[in-house]
Amino acid sequence: MAKSFADLMSETRRGIREVSLEALKERIETRPDFILVDVREGEEFRAGHIPGALHIARGHLESKVESLIGNKDAPIVLYCAGGTRSALAARTLAELGYTQVESANPGFVQWKDRRYPMVVPRVLTGEQRDRYSRHLLLPEVGEKGQAALLDAKVLLLGAGGLGSPSALYLAAAGVGTLGIVDPDTVDASNLQRQVIHATSRVGQPKVDSAEFALRELNPDVKVVKYQERLTSENIDRIFEGYDVIVDGCDNFPTRYLVNDASVMKNKPVVHGSIFRFEGQVTTFVPRVGPCYRCLYPQPPPPELAPSCQEAGVLGVLPGIIGVIQATEAIKLILKKGQPLVGRLLTYDSLGMKFRELKLRRDKECPMCGEAPSITGYIDYEHFCTLG
């Protein structure tokens, strides 16, 4: 005799464990040592969900759950709108070998009615869902990650060789606010490597030229322009409100200034530099890894560190280093992967070789050590001439 839906649900509920909303709320507050899974459809999840919930729509549960929850002995609580889909999902997970599965009954509708904590995420527009569709397919990014990118603020120091590819790819990825600091104008000699600019914009301020290119690429992005040289007098104002700093500076006084300000303000810096055919990238996260002064306690003599204008640079080199910097910034925003904290990645374009060097935090560093002696901004020009 065929079963009715009521028979199926009765049988399902007898074979699973259920948890009340009161007990679920208490568990979240006191011992959140379990995985909470929302099995509703995407539109329902985007309209609001329980904080910390992992979204796996019921229709994709069988195909996706093992890639997202590999430990089949992990405690799992499922919920839906009313308790029906989550009960069926709990039965499915049990059949797949998951050993500690519970279903919340009732579901999110009553959770919301009781005014229990909930999250209403940023809702992507149809145009945004189309633009960022390849990001949305990545579990490590998805809608939550894309929303984080759209809400993020990244400050680019320089719209030159490194800033150009970094800015273009950060804008393409949907980073919502890009600040650009650069006092210079576009020169014809820049165009060999500074791909954000164009022949038609020679003579324009670089910040204006960069803004034009970025808005053409992605109108979602807000560009904040600082046509000024970064100094001790303006760095506090300029750094305010940004989540990540992408350092494409080409001189040592500014690099030391940026380092000291970032440590004081607890802001991560993705540092890149290039010279002739070689480049390097590392990420400085205050109080997690070393700072720039740990790597370079003293600046090298000027004759050992000529500028690109003096020594030349392979035009494609900053593209590679700048894109790695953009990748690091995106990882920091998404809180995914392993940033280059405590690691210096070097690139030799002639040998086509990457190398990784370990960096250690200096306990005696005057900026981030155990007893820092630098507590404010110094005369960086004078400091670097002493080196």
Side-chain angles (χ1 to χ4, degrees):
M1 180 177 173
K3 296 178 182 178
S4 66
F5 180 71
D7 294 333
L8 176 64
M9 287 306 305
S10 179
E11 179 183 301
T12 297
R13 293 190 188 282
R14 287 197 299 270
I16 65 170
R17 297 194 300 274
E18 294 188 315
V19 58
S20 69
L21 295 183
E22 294 84 0
L24 176 59
K25 180 174 180 290
E26 181 181 358
R27 194 181 303 180
I28 291 173
E29 293 172 343
T30 58
R31 51 184 186 90
D33 54 348
F34 62 96
I35 301 172
L36 182 63
V37 180
D38 187 323
V39 299
R40 298 174 300 155
E41 295 302 310
E43 291 299 323
E44 296 175 281
F45 183 80
R46 288 189 288 273
H49 58 265
I50 300 175
L54 171 67
H55 179 234
I56 311 176
R58 176 68 188 89
H60 300 290
L61 184 70
E62 292 85 349
S63 63
K64 289 188 174 182
V65 67
E66 289 179 320
S67 65
L68 297 175
I69 308 176
N71 180 9
K72 293 195 173 183
D73 293 321
I76 300 170
V77 176
L78 308 169
Y79 75 89
C80 63
T84 298
R85 283 173 288 177
S86 60
L88 293 170
R91 177 177 177 173
T92 298
L93 290 190
E95 292 171 351
L96 290 174
Y98 288 86
T99 61
Q100 298 189 65
V101 183
E102 296 174 279
S103 170
N105 187 24
F108 184 74
V109 172
Q110 287 202 30
W111 179 280
K112 180 179 178 181
D113 289 344
R114 298 179 189 186
R115 300 185 182 277
Y116 288 171
M118 61 177 284
V119 174
V120 180
R122 171 195 281 266
V123 177
L124 301 183
T125 65
E127 182 179 321
Q128 288 172 330
R129 294 181 64 79
D130 183 47
R131 178 182 289 272
Y132 308 118
S133 60
R134 300 306 185 271
H135 270 177
L136 302 184
L137 293 173
L138 297 171
E140 296 82 357
V141 183
E143 292 194 29
K144 181 178 179 181
Q146 190 59 57
L149 290 170
L150 288 165
D151 289 336
K153 297 180 179 180
V154 175
L155 181 67
L156 294 124
L157 305 181
L162 296 175
S164 290
S166 293
L168 287 168
Y169 273 96
L170 289 171
V175 173
T177 300
L178 293 178
I180 303 176
V181 184
D182 200 307
D184 295 333
T185 57
V186 180
D187 185 83
S189 65
N190 302 146
L191 303 180
Q192 164 250 17
R193 64 202 177 280
Q194 299 181 16
V195 294
I196 204 168
H197 307 301
T199 302
S200 62
R201 300 196 293 278
V202 168
Q204 290 186 13
K206 284 186 178 180
V207 292
D208 291 344
S209 174
E211 179 187 35
F212 177 84
L214 297 177
R215 294 189 67 81
E216 282 286 294
L217 176 62
N218 188 352
D220 273 347
V221 177
K222 176 184 177 183
V223 178
V224 182
K225 300 179 292 184
Y226 304 92
Q227 191 184 356
E228 53 192 301
R229 180 172 174 267
L230 199 64
T231 68
S232 301
E233 287 70 38
N234 63 18
I235 194 167
D236 288 342
R237 166 177 57 84
I238 291 175
F239 271 29
E240 187 66 31
Y242 287 97
D243 306 305
V244 180
I245 312 299
V246 175
D247 179 10
C249 299
D250 60 0
N251 65 85
F252 284 98
T254 306
R255 288 172 183 165
Y256 284 100
L257 169 63
V258 169
N259 176 76
D260 295 354
S262 70
V263 173
M264 294 178 197
K265 296 177 176 300
N266 197 31
K267 291 184 183 291
V269 174
V270 182
H271 168 76
S273 62
I274 51 176
F275 177 70
R276 290 173 55 81
F277 299 96
E278 299 177 351
Q280 61 183 32
V281 186
T282 188
T283 296
F284 300 117
V285 178
R287 284 168 276 283
V288 175
C291 76
Y292 186 78
R293 286 183 182 272
C294 297
L295 179 59
Y296 297 110
Q298 296 291 332
E303 63 271 15
L304 297 182
S307 67
C308 292
Q309 185 176 356
E310 298 167 317
V313 62
L314 185 66
V316 297
L317 176 64
I320 296 169
I321 301 302
V323 168
I324 293 174
Q325 287 183 275
T327 305
E328 286 290 286
I330 289 172
K331 285 158 54 182
L332 290 171
I333 294 166
L334 296 177
K335 297 180 173 60
K336 298 292 183 180
Q338 297 179 336
L340 288 168
V341 178
R343 299 184 290 152
L344 179 69
L345 185 67
T346 67
Y347 172 63
D348 172 9
S349 63
L350 291 182
M352 196 52 70
K353 293 180 180 179
F354 284 93
R355 293 180 60 203
E356 183 180 299
L357 306 174
K358 295 292 184 183
L359 304 179
R360 290 179 173 82
R361 189 173 177 184
D362 183 0
K363 294 181 179 179
E364 298 182 359
C365 174
M367 191 67 229
C368 74
E370 294 179 350
S373 58
I374 299 175
T375 57
Y377 303 132
I378 65 173
D379 185 339
Y380 295 94
E381 296 285 351
H382 178 66
F383 170 73
C384 289
T385 57
L386 292 177

